[in-house]
Amino acid sequence: MSVSTAAIDPSVCAPLPVLGQDVTVPLVTGGEVTYAALDYAASAPALQRVWDDVAAYAPYYGSVHRGAGYLSQLSTDLFENSRRTVAEFLGCRADDQVVFTRSTTDSLNLLAAAIPAGCQVFVFETEHHASLLPWRDAQVTYLNAPRTPAQAVETLERALADRDPYGPALVCVTGASNVTGELWPVKELAAAAHAHGARIVLDAAQLAPHHPVDIAELDVDWVAFSGHKLYAPFGSGVLAGRSDWLLAAEPYLAGGGASRKVARRADGGVDVDWHTTAARHEAGSPNVIGVYSIASACKALTEAGFDHLVAREQELVSRVREGLAEVPEVQVLSLFGDDAPRVGVISFVVRGWNSSHFAAALSAEYGIGVRDGLFCAHPLVRTLLGSDPQDPGECGAPDAEPGERSLNAIRVSFGAGTPDEHIERFLRAVSELVSEGAQWKYRTEDGRCVPDRGTAAQV
């Protein structure tokens, strides 16, 4: 998969309005500054358009699929129209289903619960834990981290060639790494999977907010993503794709909405007739507002011109990479090398700095929010840092004191709502912290690196 910006002028696309763009935060050194949200890979700020749409609907809120009243009927129409909007956004095929879930993690766990007995699952060690861990009832083959896109395809082909050719098989792969931002060769991996009789699910949590995703064009069997990374509020997600495994499986949750008919048997038990639509795996009262917010975000990105958004983001990616390259102490983490196409997700370490200390200083002294840790992709970050699997380290700040080497990294991520000023402030802050040091002292408290109040550093 490549990022094309040909014939697109990024100057014609301004940042999309997002919630929180005018929020100010205090600096430990005194005063306040507008917050620079550069942690989009964890949760992107909600688009103002999405929030406005949700606010306009809120007075008409009603329970879906079950009510005869006007508001229930209106909410049902909105819910099902949102399903169609998401299907269109993803380029779904005519017989694909869109199932609404809580998140990417929930979507992949749903699929894991629906795979046939004896299914073999193939997953690279480079995956986010949401893709790496759900396959507990399957025979899982974990593939070593490739160092080129071509090697990724070759590695998968070798593994699939050695599998039982008669049983079901599934490949799970990311579209864009949540650590390096690098794009994976999804279409080529899908072709390799299908050539060996396997299916493939795409974890698009980091891809969908930054790049168009077309199920039919990529020829993947399923796509999973989260609303809170697609500029929508928390608590909603999507699993879209082939229906046969989903319809053959027991409902993900048993309860109201998933069942069409429940009747007592003469022996005292119950017989259940489950739905054969997406409702089969959507038991309980659904998150109507969350679903509508995803649909609203899909519409907003499409109407803004996704090609223009991609082009502008690529300008920001280039600016960040060029700025970090000017600081010799900074090492940007990469699997596929400097020339690999990527989205607005970049992780790095700084020589002589504990990564949690550096991230804390960016926040406390510059009002910049980034992420530090292993990013719920422990095997990948360990591979990129060249660490032993037994080396101590976990998500969040380690017990190392500020200044000590740490087994974690710093991640800066951005997207459609990021102003140029936030990028420039970040690069200036990195340069100043490396060359001049922090202006404040820091300590570890409850697993986080925090400013030691009232103790400015001696500079």
Side-chain angles (χ1 to χ4, degrees):
M1 181 181 297
S2 61
V3 176
S4 175
T5 59
I8 298 293
D9 180 3
S11 65
V12 304
C13 183
L16 298 185
V18 295
L19 294 182
Q21 60 188 357
D22 297 322
V23 167
T24 60
V25 294
L27 300 180
V28 71
T29 51
E32 292 186 339
V33 67
T34 302
Y35 184 64
L38 296 178
D39 193 16
Y40 275 48
S43 291
L47 292 174
Q48 185 66 52
R49 152 75 179 275
V50 171
W51 201 252
D52 290 345
D53 284 350
V54 168
Y57 161 67
Y60 300 93
Y61 177 85
S63 184
V64 305
H65 298 146
R66 297 169 180 83
Y70 177 82
L71 296 191
S72 289
Q73 293 181 41
L74 184 150
S75 295
T76 298
D77 288 344
L78 179 140
F79 186 81
E80 294 303 333
N81 284 334
S82 295
R83 199 188 304 275
R84 287 187 281 273
T85 296
V86 172
E88 182 178 352
F89 180 76
L90 293 174
C92 286
R93 297 155 297 219
D95 54 351
D96 284 338
Q97 282 192 347
V98 172
V99 180
F100 290 116
T101 66
R102 293 175 296 180
S103 60
T104 307
T105 301
D106 196 35
S107 295
L108 293 171
N109 274 270
L110 188 166
L111 183 61
I115 60 177
C119 186
Q120 299 176 74
V121 175
F122 298 83
V123 56
F124 286 94
E125 67 172 348
T126 47
E127 293 292 314
H128 186 282
H129 295 170
S131 303
L132 197 70
L133 302 180
W135 320 104
R136 289 169 289 185
D137 295 328
Q139 177 187 334
V140 185
T141 299
Y142 294 104
L143 307 175
N144 292 335
R147 286 299 182 170
T148 66
Q151 189 179 78
V153 178
E154 293 167 3
T155 299
L156 179 62
E157 287 181 331
R158 285 197 302 270
L160 290 172
D162 292 338
R163 80 175 185 91
D164 176 0
Y166 300 106
L170 178 68
V171 176
C172 182
V173 67
T174 189
S177 170
N178 76 304
V179 177
T180 67
E182 292 165 312
L183 295 174
W184 278 62
V186 175
K187 191 169 184 177
E188 292 79 2
L189 291 167
H194 293 153
H196 290 276
R199 299 188 182 187
I200 186 168
V201 57
L202 171 62
D203 176 352
Q206 298 298 337
L207 183 63
H210 302 276
H211 194 284
V213 174
D214 190 303
I215 288 180
E217 193 274 331
L218 292 173
D219 196 24
V220 295
D221 297 282
W222 294 277
V223 165
F225 72 88
S226 296
H228 70 97
K229 299 184 192 299
L230 194 79
Y231 309 102
F234 289 103
S236 55
V238 168
L239 176 66
R242 296 179 63 159
S243 62
D244 53 349
W245 283 7
L246 298 177
L247 294 182
E250 289 294 304
Y252 184 47
L253 298 173
S259 56
R260 290 191 299 188
K261 179 181 178 182
V262 179
R264 291 294 302 274
R265 296 196 305 262
D267 64 4
V270 294
D271 287 321
V272 183
D273 183 14
W274 301 107
H275 273 295
T276 56
T277 64
R280 183 183 189 89
H281 297 290
E282 294 176 344
S285 295
N287 181 359
V288 183
I289 286 179
V291 166
Y292 182 43
S293 69
I294 289 182
S296 174
C298 291
K299 287 182 179 179
L301 294 173
T302 300
E303 292 170 5
F306 222 146
D307 287 341
H308 293 282
L309 296 174
V310 170
R312 180 176 182 275
E313 183 178 311
Q314 288 305 301
E315 288 289 318
L316 298 182
V317 169
S318 296
R319 179 70 192 99
V320 171
R321 288 181 57 79
E322 290 168 1
L324 292 178
E326 294 172 0
V327 184
E329 292 83 356
V330 170
Q331 175 193 351
V332 173
L333 304 183
S334 176
L335 268 179
F336 299 154
D338 290 342
D339 295 332
R342 64 197 72 219
V343 299
V345 179
I346 298 171
S347 295
F348 62 98
V349 292
V350 183
R351 188 169 62 250
W353 281 82
N354 173 303
S355 292
S356 297
H357 182 198
F358 200 90
L362 286 173
S363 175
E365 300 179 26
Y366 294 91
I368 298 170
V370 297
R371 180 61 60 102
D372 66 278
L374 300 178
F375 317 125
C376 292
H378 294 191
L380 171 56
V381 178
R382 289 177 182 278
T383 294
L384 295 172
L385 294 178
S387 75
D388 186 275
Q390 303 307 314
D391 286 346
E394 59 185 42
C395 287
D399 292 331
E401 292 298 319
E404 295 181 8
R405 182 183 180 278
S406 55
L407 180 60
N408 60 354
I410 306 149
R411 184 180 69 191
V412 57
S413 51
F414 41 89
T418 303
D420 292 355
E421 188 276 329
H422 290 183
I423 298 298
E424 296 307 320
R425 193 197 317 173
F426 165 74
L427 293 173
R428 183 176 69 253
V430 169
S431 179
E432 290 179 0
L433 285 172
V434 170
S435 62
E436 303 172 14
Q439 299 181 57
W440 216 258
K441 290 183 179 180
Y442 294 80
R443 58 188 173 85
T444 300
E445 179 180 287
D446 296 328
R448 295 299 308 168
C449 191
V450 298
D452 196 348
R453 296 293 177 181
T455 57
Q458 298 297 317
V459 295

